[in-house]
Amino acid sequence: DVKVTQSSRYLVKRTGEKVFLECVQDMDHENMFWYRQDPGLGLRLIYFSYDVKMKEKGDIPEGYSVSREKKERFSLILESASTNQTSMYLCASTESEVYPPEQYFGPGTRLTVT
Amino acid sequence: AQSVTQLGSHVSVSEGALVLLRCNYSSSVPPYLFWYVQYPNQGLQLLLKYTSAATLVKGINGFEAEFKKSETSFHLTKPSAHMRDAAEYFCAVSRSNDYKLSFGAGTTVTVRA
């Protein structure tokens, strides 16, 4: 079975803290994605990576950065957390050269910034 | 740019009744289309996907969707709702040469006993 895991299901952080959200996939997928999910807005793409050390901005990258040092791991970083970053964060992965590109999702991290 | 519109943020159905969730897309080229389901406190799970092989696509848990190019629609249906179908459903689209997905806002389904 394919598996995408996220380091925390629930996280509470204070404004101004640096926050790391970790995602690991065991499917040897080249492409990995970070989304945030907010009620009424669906999923919005923050960043994605199509290879190790490669990244591209998605639709809402402001306030976030990412790191991909190993193929299986994709980290989302909030340099200085703010209350408007309180949200559900979902990681996903998909393999290259396979169409349509089915994305496999992790269980999500619900982040609260106080 | 492509986008997805899901009509109705909430749908309430009786157990055993038809479930119909609407999705319209805008795309300049024939896209790939997906329906995902999210059960409470879980990630997203693929229900079905359109690949141009057939306009009527069957998915898991008794769901199916029909691609209608003339209407730019990909509506999801299930003939008989079950309590376990209570979840949030997302329609998504990708271009044929792209790994990224664009998601609709989601439709929450509640099932009444």
Side-chain angles (χ1 to χ4, degrees):
Chain A
D1 258 1
V2 297
K3 195 148 188 181
V4 180
T5 56
Q6 296 183 228
S7 51
S8 305
R9 293 299 303 274
Y10 300 93
L11 209 53
V12 179
K13 295 292 181 181
R14 294 195 178 274
T15 302
E17 278 193 82
K18 190 169 186 176
V19 182
F20 292 87
L21 303 183
E22 306 285 345
C23 174
V24 177
Q25 50 96 3
D26 65 357
M27 298 163 284
D28 203 36
H29 285 172
E30 292 80 8
N31 308 291
M32 296 187 74
F33 307 82
W34 274 107
Y35 297 91
R36 65 175 283 174
Q37 180 183 4
D38 300 289
L41 297 177
L43 277 72
R44 294 179 290 167
L45 183 64
I46 305 172
Y47 267 97
F48 73 100
S49 169
Y50 50 91
D51 202 349
V52 175
K53 297 189 185 296
M54 307 301 284
K55 61 186 179 185
E56 282 194 23
K57 294 180 180 179
D59 301 318
I60 52 166
E62 297 77 20
Y64 304 94
S65 62
V66 290
S67 172
R68 192 164 180 205
E69 297 295 320
K70 293 185 177 181
K71 190 175 185 180
E72 67 271 17
R73 187 180 298 270
F74 191 35
S75 303
L76 180 69
I77 304 157
L78 287 66
E79 295 289 342
S80 178
S82 64
T83 54
N84 63 12
Q85 293 178 310
T86 291
S87 186
M88 170 71 91
Y89 291 87
L90 291 164
C91 175
S93 71
T94 186
E95 60 183 315
S96 293
E97 305 302 326
V98 173
Y99 296 98
E102 177 180 346
Q103 291 193 9
Y104 295 86
F105 284 83
T109 296
R110 187 167 295 281
L111 173 67
T112 302
V113 183
T114 62
Chain B
Q2 53 195 340
S3 68
V4 177
T5 302
Q6 291 184 239
L7 297 175
S9 58
H10 289 87
V11 169
S12 180
V13 299
S14 297
E15 194 172 18
L18 171 73
V19 179
L20 169 61
L21 305 182
R22 301 179 187 274
C23 173
N24 288 88
Y25 68 91
S26 64
S27 176
S28 57
V29 296
Y32 293 121
L33 291 157
F34 307 81
W35 276 99
Y36 280 85
V37 61
Q38 185 180 35
Y39 298 106
N41 298 315
Q42 294 186 27
L44 274 68
Q45 176 183 357
L46 183 69
L47 269 181
L48 49 81
K49 57 190 176 187
Y50 168 70
T51 63
S52 77
T55 56
L56 185 62
V57 182
K58 294 189 182 299
I60 62 172
N61 301 339
F63 284 93
E64 62 182 34
E66 186 172 10
F67 174 71
K68 292 186 177 180
K69 185 177 179 181
S70 60
E71 299 177 8
T72 61
S73 69
F74 191 56
H75 301 332
L76 181 72
T77 60
K78 181 174 180 176
S80 177
H82 192 278
M83 298 299 288
R84 63 175 172 258
D85 296 325
E88 190 162 19
Y89 294 79
F90 294 93
C91 183
V93 62
S94 73
R95 292 195 303 250
S96 58
N97 61 346
D98 198 349
Y99 301 115
K100 299 192 298 291
L101 296 180
S102 295
F103 285 86
T107 299
T108 299
V109 173
T110 57
V111 182
R112 304 185 304 270

